[in-house]
Amino acid sequence: MTQAPTPTADTVRRLVRSLLKEGPGGTGDSSGPDVRPVAEGAEPATWWVGTRHVLRLTPDRDAAVRQRRELRLRDLVRPHVPVTVPASVAHGEWAPGLAYTLDTKVPGGSGEEHDVSAVGEADLAGLLTGLREVPVRQAEALGVPRVAPRSLEALRRAAERAARRLAQADEFDPARLTQLTPPATVQLAAQPGSAVLVHHGLTGEHLVVSADGRVRGVLGWADAVVGDPAEDIAGLARAVGSPAAVRAATLAGYGARPCLRGLWLARCDTVIHLADALTGRTTAPLPLLQTRLRRAWEAILLERVTELRDDEEDDAL
């Protein structure tokens, strides 16, 4: 396999100079606009371009396939959601087989920097509602994969093992997991026929939040799937806290079953991810994982799983 080139500031500058020379944002300066990596890294793939654009370079052919699909998916999603979905002003290949997209920057800060307000929760509710309205067949026709729901019981057992490791590091009380019992995982199984378009990456860094707490945009659509809507509720629980996530999902019309399923997916995930980081299995930043765990384990009004009949949704959240 041919070694992919390493993107550098000069690589990016030459590319965007040709893209912006005659287009919007062109500076007329032969040196081109200022470019800088969005995040520190040995081989940065995402770059700020001036103040109005962001350039994303794919590092391999699989990522290039996902990015090309993402561009088409964003066009499909955009009419259905009330928040901004990034728009590409140029796209192509920055190296043989490796794609790029130059997107217009969505104004606002990261969800890791700003808290979401009550009105922002309504924005998130509109996002979840819109995702449910996107025609699944059209998404699948674009190549969006269908993914089976995860086993909450298998996740619960993995979280119990992880919780014991966290207890040794004085990071978590394993007794908190006893709220999720094996019978409860059966009750909270995903229901047949409930698959929708799922963003599958609703992290704080993918939520663009303004200083007043409004959710202005959602980034990072490359990993979208057709599947369990509780996964996006779980993502929001990790990103903005369980109470806000459950309130947004309830406003979007989801009942107790998917809300509680999303809550426990998030709680188990955060325990497992933090334990993996503490034992060196992942390199994710510990402070971020600790914050996500804290958010996911914030108490909600409905903390006890009650009997849920298949033909009934309990909306008293």
Side-chain angles (χ1 to χ4, degrees):
M1 177 180 288
T2 303
Q3 179 70 32
T6 299
T8 65
D10 286 340
T11 304
V12 171
R13 194 172 290 110
R14 284 195 299 269
L15 176 60
V16 298
R17 187 185 300 137
S18 66
L19 296 176
L20 298 179
K21 183 177 180 180
E22 301 298 337
T27 63
D29 184 347
S30 61
S31 65
D34 176 54
V35 299
R36 61 195 188 283
V38 170
E40 296 298 327
E43 297 184 11
T46 308
W47 297 73
W48 295 122
V49 178
T51 59
R52 292 189 289 169
H53 297 94
V54 59
L55 178 75
R56 293 188 296 125
L57 308 173
T58 57
D60 54 56
R61 292 179 184 273
D62 287 342
V65 170
R66 293 196 304 273
Q67 187 182 90
R68 294 186 184 104
R69 181 179 68 213
E70 178 186 14
L71 296 180
R72 299 190 296 270
L73 179 63
R74 294 191 311 198
D75 289 339
L76 176 63
V77 168
R78 194 171 288 110
H80 296 278
V81 298
V83 298
T84 298
V85 174
S88 178
V89 298
H91 58 86
E93 291 190 351
W94 70 276
L98 304 181
Y100 74 83
T101 176
L102 182 67
D103 293 345
T104 302
K105 181 182 177 182
V106 180
S110 163
E112 301 291 351
E113 301 169 353
H114 301 300
D115 292 332
V116 173
S117 66
V119 182
E121 291 176 15
D123 296 328
L124 293 174
L127 170 68
L128 295 177
T129 300
L131 288 173
R132 194 168 53 202
E133 293 173 349
V134 173
V136 166
R137 288 186 179 179
Q138 291 185 33
E140 290 182 311
L142 297 178
V144 176
R146 182 178 286 262
V147 175
R150 289 191 286 169
S151 166
L152 188 54
E153 174 58 19
L155 192 64
R156 182 191 68 82
R157 292 195 298 266
E160 282 187 337
R161 294 190 294 270
R164 290 193 287 270
R165 300 199 299 271
L166 291 182
Q168 294 174 354
D170 198 27
E171 288 278 355
F172 184 78
D173 179 4
R176 301 173 75 184
L177 269 170
T178 60
Q179 300 173 68
L180 181 64
T181 63
T185 65
V186 175
Q187 288 182 311
L188 297 179
Q191 298 301 291
S194 62
V196 301
L197 180 67
V198 178
H199 180 282
H200 218 245
L202 291 179
T203 61
E205 65 182 357
H206 285 158
L207 298 177
V208 180
V209 182
S210 59
D212 62 357
R214 294 291 304 271
V215 178
R216 300 298 184 181
V218 177
L219 315 177
W221 293 84
D223 294 323
V225 300
V226 172
D228 181 5
E231 294 287 359
D232 275 348
I233 299 172
L236 291 178
R238 295 187 292 266
V240 301
S242 287
V246 169
R247 287 192 295 266
T250 303
L251 284 173
Y254 285 109
R257 191 190 307 274
C259 287
L260 286 170
R261 177 174 169 80
L263 175 74
W264 284 106
L265 288 172
R267 288 179 170 180
C268 291
D269 279 341
T270 55
V271 169
I272 294 168
H273 295 164
L274 181 56
D276 284 347
L278 285 174
T279 54
R281 297 183 182 182
T282 66
T283 58
L286 282 177
L288 175 61
L289 297 180
Q290 290 165 333
T291 297
R292 288 178 178 175
L293 185 142
R294 175 182 55 78
R295 289 170 176 163
W297 282 88
E298 290 173 352
I300 65 168
L301 184 61
L302 183 62
E303 280 290 347
R304 184 171 60 87
V305 179
T306 55
E307 190 69 29
L308 294 173
R309 298 196 304 270
D310 288 344
D311 61 347
E312 178 178 278
E313 288 286 348
D314 180 357
D315 59 2
L317 293 173

